[in-house]
């Protein structure tokens, strides 16, 4: 489960570029603040390594373990 | 994986009313905040016993976002203020967040003298090779030939190697990593927090707004990719020739030694020479005030 805080993200694209499994893709539409938010498209590929969350300069990404 | 960062809890360490941060999109300072929290959790310290001191600059705004005792001081003097904080209450873990202009240019003297004394501070120097807050002037750590608003034809000066400078001055833990290596960086900060003595962690960071724009790397991602391809770990660098190492960033632990620490020696001396046991008196003052 990946949560992206719309108010914190500034659209720097670090997560899209540095994810080793290419989970993210930039969205095609601007959000309310004028930012192309990253969208976790290939979420089934995510290995919960938390690299995106620790690299995110705006602390906008939260990666949670799935409780199944 | 044992050193997997647990980032979801980091929001609790921040002053929520102050975020989003004022940093530009893609600035490395946010990554340094994340790695610091990760390191703090690994070192099993709590924010109740940490006080943060910072000077002036983009990176020096970091303590303002963190829920702990913080001191925002004058330009270049955070280490001088931190010396006072540490000697006033030697039980406190004092962390200094500083930038390259703050630590190396205007506060260079404070930096080398704190290293010489081997005072128990953890100095995290966010080195983005430029003065970001004031409009992109050249800083003492800008690489030779780099462009900035004060060097439109390229810088002629050779940069400071901060890690070598501080190890030469007598620090007991010196390490250098970049924001592209967040996990080794967290480990380095953890070692710095645990080390009894002057610990200096240099973080090579990206400034897409000024350094990147002037040096043909317009986005944070481009700058980070440049740092990734142009960095060499110390072990590998030993086998390389000087020509191969030109323009490369050498990463790793430079110094890790065990030398006597200043505040401990001072407390011992005061306890020895004064009949009243002055250190106990100082500590009791904190207890009654709080």
């Amino acid at each position: 489960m990946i949560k992206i805080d719309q108010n914190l993200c500034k659209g720097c694209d670090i997560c899209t570029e540095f994810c080793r499994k290419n989970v993210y893709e930039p969205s095609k539409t601007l959000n309310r603040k004028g930012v192309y938010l990253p969208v976790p498209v290939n979420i089934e590929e995510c290995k919960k390594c938390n690299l995106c969350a620790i690299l995110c300069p705006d602390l906008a990404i939260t990666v949670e373990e799935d409780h199944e | 994986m044992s050193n997997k960062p647990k980032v979801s809890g980091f929001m609790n360490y921040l002053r929520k009313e102050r975020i989003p941060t004022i940093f530009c999109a893609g600035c490395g300072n946010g990554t340094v905040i994340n790695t610091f929290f990760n390191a703090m959790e690994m070192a099993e310290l709590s924010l109740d016993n940490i006080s943060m001191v910072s000077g002036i600059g983009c990176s020096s705004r970091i303590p303002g976002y963190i829920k702990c005792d913080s001191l925002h001081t004058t330009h270049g003097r955070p280490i001088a203020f931190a010396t006072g904080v540490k000697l006033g209450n030697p039980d406190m873990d004092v962390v200094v967040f500083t930038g390259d202009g703050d630590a190396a240019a205007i506060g260079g003297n404070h930096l080398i003298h704190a290293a010489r004394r081997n005072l128990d501070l953890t100095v995290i120097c966010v080195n983005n090779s430029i003065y970001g807050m004031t409009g992109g002037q050249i800083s003492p750590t800008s690489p030779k030939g780099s462009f900035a608003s004060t060097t439109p034809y390229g810088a002629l000066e050779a940069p400071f190697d901060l890690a070598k400078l501080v190890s030469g001055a007598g620090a007991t833990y010196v390490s250098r990593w970049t924001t592209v290596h967040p996990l080794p960086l967290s480990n380095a900060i953890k070692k710095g927090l645990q080390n009894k003595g002057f610990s200096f962690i240099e973080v090579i960071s990206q400034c897409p707004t000024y350094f990147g724009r002037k040096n043909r790397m317009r986005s944070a991602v481009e700058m980070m990719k440049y740092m990734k391809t142009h960095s060499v770990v110390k072990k590998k660098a030993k086998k390389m020739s000087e020509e191969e190492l030109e323009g490369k960033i050498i990463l790793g632990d430079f110094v890790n030694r065990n030398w006597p620490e200043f505040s401990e020696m001072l407390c011992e001396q005061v306890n020895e020479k004064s009949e009243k046991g002055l250190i106990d008196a100082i500590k009791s003052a904190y207890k009654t005030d709080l």
Side-chain angles (χ1 to χ4, degrees), chain B residues 16-88:
Chain B
K16 283 190 190 109
E17 68 278 7
R18 302 203 62 177
I19 52 174
T21 57
I22 63 152
F23 304 138
C24 309
C27 175
N29 289 341
T31 314
V32 178
I33 299 181
N34 278 332
T35 48
F36 176 77
F37 289 149
N38 193 22
M40 193 184 78
E41 284 186 351
M42 285 199 285
E44 292 174 354
L45 297 176
S46 92
L47 280 180
D48 298 338
N49 199 37
I50 290 178
S51 68
M52 290 191 178
V53 189
S54 68
I56 300 293
C58 294
S59 52
S60 298
R61 295 191 70 94
I62 291 176
Y65 298 112
I66 302 175
K67 233 185 242 171
C68 71
D69 296 342
S70 52
L71 189 60
H72 197 181
T73 68
T74 47
H75 196 7
R77 315 285 177 248
I79 295 172
F81 283 84
T83 306
V85 174
K86 183 71 194 174
L87 294 182

Side-chain angles (χ1 to χ4, degrees), chain A residues 10 17 48 50 54-57, chain B residues 4-5 21 23 30 34 225:
Chain A
K10 289 173 190 156
E17 287 291 328
K48 313 273 186 306
N50 260 330
I54 200 167
L55 274 176
C56 178
Chain B
K4 196 166 150 182
T21 57
F23 304 138
N34 278 332
K225 280 185 176 166

Side-chain angles (χ1 to χ4, degrees), chain B residues 33 40 64 85 116 123 125 140 169 212 217 219 234 252 256 258 280:
Chain B
I33 299 181
M40 193 184 78
V85 174
R116 175 178 66 87
V123 179
C125 176
M217 289 178 276
S219 70
K234 206 181 143 203
N256 196 353
N258 209 351
D280 290 336

Side-chain angles (χ1 to χ4, degrees), chain B residues 48-272:
Chain B
D48 298 338
N49 199 37
I50 290 178
S51 68
M52 290 191 178
V53 189
S54 68
I56 300 293
C58 294
S59 52
S60 298
R61 295 191 70 94
I62 291 176
Y65 298 112
I66 302 175
K67 233 185 242 171
C68 71
D69 296 342
S70 52
L71 189 60
H72 197 181
T73 68
T74 47
H75 196 7
R77 315 285 177 248
I79 295 172
F81 283 84
T83 306
V85 174
K86 183 71 194 174
L87 294 182
N89 186 1
D91 291 338
M92 203 132 212
D93 300 308
V94 185
V95 180
V96 178
F97 275 101
T98 176
D100 53 326
D102 203 43
I106 190 161
N109 225 343
H110 297 295
L111 180 71
I112 54 173
H113 283 280
R116 175 178 66 87
R117 288 182 188 133
N118 194 22
L119 184 68
D120 186 15
L121 302 176
T122 307
V123 179
I124 301 169
C125 176
V126 185
N127 179 357
N128 57 5
S129 314
I130 208 156
Y131 283 88
M133 188 179 260
T134 50
Q137 291 87 357
I138 210 84
S139 89
T141 51
S142 305
K144 209 172 182 176
S146 62
F147 298 96
S149 53
T150 47
T151 55
Y153 305 108
L156 299 171
E157 305 154 22
F160 256 140
D161 189 332
L162 281 183
K164 276 187 187 167
L165 175 80
V166 177
S167 13
T172 46
Y173 181 74
V174 180
S175 185
R176 184 198 281 140
W177 291 97
T178 74
T179 45
V180 197
H181 307 88
L183 294 183
L185 175 61
S186 322
N187 270 323
I189 298 177
K190 180 192 124 195
K191 280 184 205 166
L193 287 168
Q194 286 173 337
N195 175 42
K196 199 91 186 126
F198 192 83
S199 324
F200 184 81
I201 297 113
E202 184 184 355
V203 190
I204 311 285
S205 169
Q206 71 272 20
C207 175
T209 307
Y210 280 111
F211 192 84
R213 192 153 54 95
K214 302 260 182 196
N215 293 283
R216 299 195 188 88
M217 289 178 276
R218 279 183 173 266
S219 70
V221 172
E222 269 179 78
M223 285 205 74
M224 287 173 86
K225 280 185 176 166
Y226 176 86
M227 291 195 298
K228 204 170 186 178
T229 50
H230 285 73
S231 53
V232 189
V233 183
K234 206 181 143 203
K235 238 183 208 171
K236 208 176 166 190
K238 271 184 187 168
K239 294 172 193 161
M240 291 164 78
S241 67
E242 267 188 34
E243 286 158 11
E244 282 177 310
L245 282 177
E246 215 173 86
K248 298 265 198 248
I249 308 161
I250 301 168
L251 308 175
D253 288 1
F254 287 79
V255 174
N256 196 353
R257 56 194 169 200
N258 209 351
W259 281 2
E261 199 267 321
F262 182 71
S263 66
E264 267 180 5
M265 288 195 294
L266 189 79
C267 289
E268 266 173 39
Q269 195 182 42
V270 170
N271 268 339
E272 220 173 79

